[in-house]
Amino acid sequence: MTCALTYDLVVSWDAELTALTTCIAGPLFTRPEPRQAFADLVRALLADVPRKNSWQLADHIGHTTAHRFEHLLDRAKWDVNALRDEVRSYVIAHLGRADGVLIADDTSAIKKGQMSVGVADQYCGLTGQVENCQVMPMLTYASEAGQAFVNRRLYLPEAGAGDPQRRARAGVPEHVAFRTKPQLVIDMLAEELAAGTPFRYLCADTGYGRDPHLRAFCHERALGYVLAVPVDLPLVAVRGGVEPAGHVLDRLLALGRAGIGERRSCGTGTKGLRVYDWTALAVTVAGQAPAPGYVHTLLIRRSVSAPTEVEFFLAHVPAGTPVPGLIDAAGMRWKIEENNEHGKDLLGLTSYQVRKWTPWHRHVTIAMLALAFLAVMRAALSADADEAAGEGKDRSLLETPAG
């Protein structure tokens, strides 16, 4: 059941947005001009503007030039990490749940020139090939209420990170050193732990699941995870030695269909329930012990329609954790892809024309706030619809004749 959109509802959203930007802008800016420019930019990003660069956003909001937005993103004095913290607090206040998950993934921005900070010929997840692009590791918070970005990093390729001229031209701070993408996710995880973000599992694709340092960080801090891992993940074999995860599947297949597990859904996608054949086995990862009281479980997911399409997940969870919850967590990973899609297509997440370090972080974080606002309004709409459905059910029961 969906809640009908009404004029009063849309007006209430407008009031909510004004209250949100006013509350955040108050302590963030010392002058009224950047406060207003900030509120205007958030509102413009949420509007139906074809190309969300500063000039078109300014034109939509009624500014004669883009100078106010350009000043806000570049020269104005304000703390973008304080805004990031406000975005996180807003998301957790409305979407936070004890069983929520953090999801790590990259998004990419394809560029034409070589002047933008972090741009290089590198793998682009958007096209699946090497492109001249920027790569942005992002962290999404997801629960049954909804999902939104809560943290972000810009990946600096090693060559650019070590080039003093490029760093100076892009305004990269001196303390920023080269970090791999998994290391950037570790940095963000540390920030979420310090902020008290409530989550049960970290979820990510194979690019992160294969990294032993990220897994070790979780083991050292007793953090649960359900990470996609490569077929060659080294496991301790039953008879000693080391074998790749793929050999486990080979042995199961040799047992016949009875050894392939059971058919379960891992959530709802755009085409309905996403159903796969799943197998779960206790495993020992070579050279990496779990946290005390935790175990490693290997999940094997096979496509129903194309059984040769197989994906492996490694779970690090407290002993005795039921497997269905791990399958649900494995299915949550796609939610960050939805954030990436909405952020780019609706909110101009990568439509910026900024080239330097500070403007990049400011634009992306303001876009994160716009996405968080949409996620919270959507969650409230769903809650209202569920409440209305419940009331309708109660009324129908009460109106049913006795006997």
Side-chain angles (χ1 to χ4, degrees):
M1 180 175 179
T2 59
C3 187
L5 287 175
T6 65
Y7 174 79
D8 289 342
L9 183 59
V10 174
V11 169
S12 73
W13 289 348
D14 185 76
E16 289 276 359
L17 180 61
T18 298
L20 174 64
T21 54
T22 300
C23 178
I24 291 176
L28 201 61
F29 304 102
T30 58
R31 295 182 57 81
E33 296 87 355
R35 286 192 199 121
Q36 187 59 54
F38 169 75
D40 287 347
L41 183 53
V42 176
R43 189 173 295 276
L45 287 171
L46 288 163
D48 185 17
V49 180
R51 293 188 60 206
K52 297 198 172 181
N53 56 51
S54 292
W55 280 93
Q56 293 204 24
L57 293 172
D59 181 68
H60 171 83
I61 215 71
H63 297 179
T64 55
T65 71
H67 294 167
R68 295 183 198 177
F69 289 163
E70 291 172 348
H71 179 75
L72 174 73
L73 295 177
D74 189 7
R75 298 178 298 280
K77 295 186 181 301
W78 58 282
D79 185 352
V80 70
N81 285 335
L83 175 59
R84 185 272 320 276
D85 293 345
E86 290 291 341
V87 172
R88 177 199 294 122
S89 296
Y90 178 65
V91 170
I92 299 307
H94 294 276
L95 308 180
R97 302 288 189 276
D99 60 352
V101 300
L102 285 172
I103 313 164
D105 197 11
D106 300 340
T107 193
S108 304
I110 298 176
K111 296 295 177 180
K112 293 182 179 179
Q114 297 291 327
M115 303 299 289
S116 297
V117 59
V119 74
D121 289 335
Q122 53 191 323
Y123 177 78
C124 174
L126 188 65
T127 63
Q129 58 189 24
V130 173
E131 303 279 1
N132 185 61
C133 67
Q134 294 166 311
V135 176
M136 307 146 54
M138 307 289 288
L139 209 59
T140 276
Y141 184 85
S143 71
E144 62 179 9
Q147 69 272 353
F149 292 127
V150 291
N151 217 326
R152 73 287 181 263
R153 284 295 192 274
L154 176 62
Y155 172 69
L156 295 179
E158 191 167 9
D163 185 334
Q165 291 185 337
R166 286 198 65 176
R167 290 176 64 97
R169 187 170 62 236
V172 179
E174 290 185 5
H175 71 271
V176 176
F178 170 73
R179 302 282 282 169
T180 66
K181 284 172 275 188
Q183 286 172 335
L184 293 175
V185 169
I186 289 173
D187 294 342
M188 290 191 285
L189 267 180
E191 291 170 350
E192 298 311 310
L193 292 174
T197 301
F199 68 99
R200 180 171 292 177
Y201 301 122
L202 169 69
C203 302
D205 66 11
T206 310
Y208 293 103
R210 71 167 62 249
D211 187 82
H213 303 292
L214 176 57
R215 300 198 305 266
F217 178 89
C218 295
H219 300 160
E220 291 164 5
R221 289 156 183 80
L223 300 179
Y225 62 66
V226 180
L227 303 172
V229 291
V231 67
D232 60 355
L233 177 75
L235 303 175
V236 175
V238 175
R239 297 181 180 179
V242 176
E243 66 175 353
H247 284 188
V248 176
L249 176 61
D250 293 340
R251 289 202 307 274
L252 290 175
L253 291 174
L255 296 175
R257 182 160 184 83
I260 299 302
E262 58 186 89
R263 193 158 294 178
R264 285 184 175 270
S265 165
C266 61
T268 303
T270 56
K271 299 180 180 179
L273 291 177
R274 292 174 294 130
V275 178
Y276 296 91
D277 288 330
W278 293 87
T279 300
L281 304 122
V283 295
T284 300
V285 180
Q288 278 203 318
Y294 279 62
V295 295
H296 278 132
T297 299
L298 184 69
L299 299 175
I300 304 175
R301 190 187 77 182
R302 300 179 73 211
S303 168
V304 174
S305 59
T308 57
E309 295 180 6
V310 179
E311 188 162 9
F312 297 83
F313 298 85
L314 181 67
H316 176 250
V317 294
T321 299
V323 171
L326 307 184
I327 293 174
D328 291 342
M332 295 284 277
R333 194 185 69 197
W334 70 272
K335 291 183 178 292
I336 195 170
E337 297 176 12
E338 183 177 292
N339 278 174
N340 286 332
E341 180 183 350
H342 290 172
K344 290 179 178 180
D345 295 347
L346 301 178
L347 303 170
L349 180 69
T350 58
S351 298
Y352 47 80
Q353 293 180 317
V354 299
R355 290 181 173 177
K356 295 183 178 181
W357 177 269
T358 295
W360 182 91
H361 282 82
R362 290 178 172 182
H363 172 91
V364 168
T365 310
I366 292 173
M368 286 168 53
L369 176 61
L371 180 63
F373 176 77
L374 285 184
V376 170
M377 292 302 101
R378 180 179 180 181
L381 196 64
S382 297
D384 289 344
D386 290 344
E387 183 178 351
E391 290 177 354
K393 182 182 294 185
D394 292 342
R395 282 195 301 269
S396 65
L397 290 172
L398 291 171
E399 291 165 3
T400 301

